[in-house]
Amino acid sequence: MVERRHLLDVDDLDREGIERILDMARSFAEVQRRPIKKVPSLRGKTVANLFYEPSTRTRLSFELAAKRLSADVLNFTASASSVQKGESLKDTALTLEAMGVDAVVVRHPVAGTPWLLRKWINATILNAGDGMHAHPTQALLDLFTMRERMGNLEGKTIAFVGDILHSRVARSGMKACRFMGMEVLAVAPPTLLPPVAMEGVEFTCDFDAALPRCDVIYMLRMQKERQQEGRVPSIEEYVRFYQIDAGRMGRARPGAMVMHPGPMNRGVEISSEVADAPYAVMTAQVASGVAVRMAALFTLLGGAEGGDGIA
Amino acid sequence: MVERRHLLDVDDLDREGIERILDMARSFAEVQRRPIKKVPSLRGKTVANLFYEPSTRTRLSFELAAKRLSADVLNFTASASSVQKGESLKDTALTLEAMGVDAVVVRHPVAGTPWLLRKWINATILNAGDGMHAHPTQALLDLFTMRERMGNLEGKTIAFVGDILHSRVARSGMKACRFMGMEVLAVAPPTLLPPVAMEGVEFTCDFDAALPRCDVIYMLRMQKERQQEGRVPSIEEYVRFYQIDAGRMGRARPGAMVMHPGPMNRGVEISSEVADAPYAVMTAQVASGVAVRMAALFTLLGGAEGGDGIA
Amino acid sequence: MVERRHLLDVDDLDREGIERILDMARSFAEVQRRPIKKVPSLRGKTVANLFYEPSTRTRLSFELAAKRLSADVLNFTASASSVQKGESLKDTALTLEAMGVDAVVVRHPVAGTPWLLRKWINATILNAGDGMHAHPTQALLDLFTMRERMGNLEGKTIAFVGDILHSRVARSGMKACRFMGMEVLAVAPPTLLPPVAMEGVEFTCDFDAALPRCDVIYMLRMQKERQQEGRVPSIEEYVRFYQIDAGRMGRARPGAMVMHPGPMNRGVEISSEVADAPYAVMTAQVASGVAVRMAALFTLLGGAEGGDGIA
């Protein structure tokens, strides 16, 4: 049996491992700028996208990454599937394994699902988001985006702003930023902060006070449900204290950049003016996503057999 | 930044441009008859199908055209996507651009959407149908189908019959036929004709009187909704005056052909007898669709880099 | 016009034809164990999956089989399509034919649909399940799985257990096993047995009495609807007499194996203990599925033009 490598959360990598992926992603980003944006590195490998939650950008990003490595891609989404027929996740996973799928990219509303898959089947597992728990490739593409713009991240300060409590993006992102030696702030109303402290992360409810320290302002998507749940009094109130707009940007550190995992709620956590400003790097994040996922797939699927990855 | 070429409506082409695409489509049609129906012309390019309306034949036709040019294809349909999550069209488009997608094939219920995309993103846009407005590749494949059967189209007469008012197929088709020097009739009950005249198009409500002049009878799909809206008194009434059946075909010009963009409502705008007759060329239209879309994709994506397109 | 070969039911093959496909499947199974699980045999061919019923494993298995033969794959599922728009199956089939699709893999709730397609269009048809009628590739993969484990099947005994009446898996499977010279039992409550005898198949309601004769116990999925229809008094009652569990396995012939077409209803027709035991070969069945479907596609699409199939 082949030994499999996985990417379940950023903990699977140390700082060196992260930097190796980011370096490889840079090569793949360069491939993206060629007329023929494709390399034969994973020809003959099969990557299955197993998505139990709706998603556009993450699914397309993984699909494109796999195709640009010349892998074959199978898409399985819960709605178009036999979930109705009552097939269990385990049986679906065993089916994919039996078909000889090399990697399973999984998104699931239940935290921990990718760990179950790793236990159940002999295939490389990539976590594309599990419940409110982890989203490691998002964290890696965010690091890549920052590093390309700011160089060394050591000592830089990033604030994650918004619904930290329910955010897998924040959870993986904060860990990854700590690995790279960044200062990490979590900015949110008290009802949207985790009830216990997180190592190395400074919690605060005062966005305006935090702004002057920030090199990076990382906005999280605000779900309308939070109001119904009573976690925020109203969206208007939330906007007043936590939206990033041009006024607040004036108070951030000069040269600060704004990030967002998308899709944005324009007019809620971010004003349209900021969303379209040159210091907002969402487009670069999406572009980085393809390159970073190519690097992750290539690293995990032991590209050695298929060449050095960059033709 | 690369300069992008687009196909938003037939106006983007002059007669010479149309003929160049039709000539190239003939070469691609020849490729379709080979055992290996594939050429490497767009290897390493990515084509995204962005469909906000259900569609079978148009989506499959574009997908097959792209694959037979060896491009990678991403399918995005509104239902399987994060439209529910509230992602705006603009953000989706920016995502595709950031991923380095070379061409976006878009179908959308709102007229003008492809023009917005062209403004928003740096990618080649192909309009696969926008609201009641335009459907240029349908017009091109219809011209191709006619030209293959009748040779020079100059001076030939075509009647578009049915719901002209709401039809993007008719709108683009009538313009394209005019470009080629054809006589164009629009045949419909008064409630389904546009309220203002269209340049070079003769409006009439009398299908039977028009038939003897027609080389081509182009039937449009009759939506049941038109009856609910009160635009036609009843489907039976519509059938009596506007269905093409064997009796009416007897009155058309000898050798006249029947076209339909599909899917047909057999027994409504077309009798099954006519639909299955040799002068009905719907199958040829579908076959032309793949060849014409290969020609359009190849022309727009600057095939120069990838060879001459026909291996 | 090319002469087309089809796989509509196992009757399309004689014993020799079946053995030829199983032998070829063995070669393709070997390809599945290579790092690059892909051969160029069907490059430039197009396979359309036309699925009017939800399915995971069968659709993915055919898709993977086609991709590993380097064919292009078009997926058409009823929900994502213009079935809503009222396009008839015939028009959809004619569309696929006109597009130059080489093979259509069809699953449809109406028995006989693949035979209609064969009559309507000039393309190779593979039946992926039609109503309660037939499912020939399932039968072939089951034979393959048994043969790999037991060698010659002549004289071996298999019991199909459960809802024989409504099962296309049983119908094709029993015929295929007879072709290979196996003894075939159909085990079910009287309400779930076909009303008329089937040639060469022994009907019985007594699972426990049949067990000691069985080399293979083939469990069928028990649909909850059968209880609502009054065909079984209750699921509990069904479980008591027809579930395969560890106790019953103790009474089967030594070395007997358990098969199931999936997806399983753990705790209904099969206990979890049996489902996960080494004598349960569902995983091998799924793996065989890809290899057998590669062999079927390759055989039917006249691979001669594309090389010998195994690079």
Side-chain angles (χ1 to χ4, degrees), chain B residues 168-217:
Chain B
R168 59 194 176 205
V169 171
R171 217 168 306 274
S172 288
M174 294 189 296
K175 271 197 274 188
C177 291
R178 290 294 302 145
F179 279 167
M180 304 303 283
M182 297 178 77
E183 302 296 314
V184 179
L185 306 179
V187 180
T191 47
L192 293 177
L193 282 171
V196 291
M198 299 175 69
E199 207 192 315
V201 177
E202 186 183 330
F203 286 7
T204 175
C205 302
D206 193 340
F207 189 17
D208 287 314
L211 273 165
R213 300 164 56 194
C214 295
D215 299 293
V216 183
I217 300 153

Side-chain angles (χ1 to χ4, degrees), chain B residues 20-249:
Chain B
R20 220 176 305 119
I21 287 185
L22 301 189
D23 290 343
M24 187 184 290
R26 175 172 272 175
S27 307
F28 284 123
E30 191 270 313
V31 170
Q32 307 303 303
R33 286 186 290 272
R34 299 183 192 167
I36 296 188
K37 308 184 183 71
K38 202 161 177 162
V39 289
S41 323
L42 296 185
R43 206 172 64 77
K45 302 281 187 193
T46 308
V47 176
N49 287 322
L50 187 56
F51 274 64
Y52 286 88
E53 276 183 7
S55 161
T56 304
R57 69 184 62 207
T58 306
R59 200 263 297 164
L60 289 177
S61 182
F62 268 110
E63 182 173 351
L64 200 49
K67 286 182 169 169
R68 287 191 175 158
L69 292 164
S70 302
D72 289 312
V73 178
L74 294 181
N75 285 316
F76 172 101
T77 52
S79 56
S81 80
S82 67
V83 170
Q84 301 132 279
K85 252 191 182 176
E87 183 164 34
S88 76
L89 175 68
K90 185 171 182 179
D91 286 327
T92 301
L94 291 171
T95 297
L96 292 173
E97 179 193 31
M99 287 178 179
V101 162
D102 298 284
V104 177
V105 176
V106 62
R107 168 165 288 193
H108 200 281
V110 178
T113 300
W115 283 260
L116 287 175
L117 287 186
R118 181 185 55 180
K119 226 177 64 184
W120 288 337
I121 67 173
N122 178 30
T124 286
I125 311 295
L126 292 101
N127 184 0
D130 65 316
M132 297 183 268
H133 181 225
H135 194 357
T137 58
Q138 178 74 44
L140 292 173
L141 74 88
D142 290 332
L143 290 182
F144 181 80
T145 308
M146 290 187 270
R147 211 182 63 163
E148 291 298 295
R149 248 141 249 261
M150 308 195 305
N152 191 354
L153 300 180
E154 186 86 42
K156 294 289 197 301
T157 300
I158 183 171
F160 286 85
V161 184
D163 189 356
I164 311 286
L165 181 60
H166 302 92
S167 173
R168 59 194 176 205
V169 171
R171 217 168 306 274
S172 288
M174 294 189 296
K175 271 197 274 188
C177 291
R178 290 294 302 145
F179 279 167
M180 304 303 283
M182 297 178 77
E183 302 296 314
V184 179
L185 306 179
V187 180
T191 47
L192 293 177
L193 282 171
V196 291
M198 299 175 69
E199 207 192 315
V201 177
E202 186 183 330
F203 286 7
T204 175
C205 302
D206 193 340
F207 189 17
D208 287 314
L211 273 165
R213 300 164 56 194
C214 295
D215 299 293
V216 183
I217 300 153
Y218 197 107
M219 302 308 299
L220 300 170
R221 182 175 170 81
M222 184 60 198
Q223 310 280 0
K224 303 248 160 68
E225 301 91 278
R226 300 301 164 237
Q227 187 183 347
Q228 289 143 30
E229 294 165 12
R231 291 201 177 263
V232 294
S234 73
I235 293 299
E236 293 67 36
E237 188 79 359
Y238 181 82
V239 164
R240 192 146 75 88
F241 291 106
Y242 295 100
Q243 186 187 74
I244 186 75
D245 57 16
R248 284 212 166 86
M249 275 311 288

Side-chain angles (χ1 to χ4, degrees), chain A residues 255-296:
Chain A
M257 58 198 250
V258 172
M259 302 181 80
H260 192 295
M264 291 182 280
N265 267 328
R266 285 163 181 263
V268 182
E269 71 269 9
I270 189 165
S271 74
S272 253
E273 193 183 356
V274 168
D276 298 326
Y279 51 74
V281 298
M282 279 72 90
T283 296
Q285 286 174 277
V286 175
S288 306
V290 178
V292 163
R293 287 173 179 124
M294 287 175 81

Side-chain angles (χ1 to χ4, degrees), chain C residues 221-236:
Chain C
R221 183 175 168 79
M222 184 60 197
Q223 309 282 359
K224 305 246 161 68
E225 301 92 279
R226 300 301 165 238
Q227 186 182 348
Q228 288 142 32
E229 293 164 13
R231 292 201 177 264
V232 294
S234 73
I235 293 300
E236 292 68 36

Side-chain angles (χ1 to χ4, degrees), chain A residues 43-44, chain C residues 24 26-43 68-70 294 298 303 306-311:
Chain A
R43 206 172 64 77
Chain C
M24 188 184 290
R26 176 172 272 176
S27 307
F28 284 123
E30 189 271 312
V31 170
Q32 306 304 304
R33 287 187 288 272
R34 301 182 192 168
I36 295 189
K37 307 182 184 73
K38 202 162 176 160
V39 291
S41 324
L42 296 185
R43 205 172 64 78
R68 288 191 175 157
L69 292 163
S70 301
M294 287 174 82
F298 182 71
D308 74 337
I310 320 286

Side-chain angles (χ1 to χ4, degrees), chain A residues 137-150:
Chain A
T137 58
Q138 179 74 44
L140 291 174
L141 74 88
D142 290 332
L143 290 183
F144 182 80
T145 308
M146 288 187 272
R147 210 182 64 162
E148 291 298 294
R149 247 140 251 261
M150 307 196 303

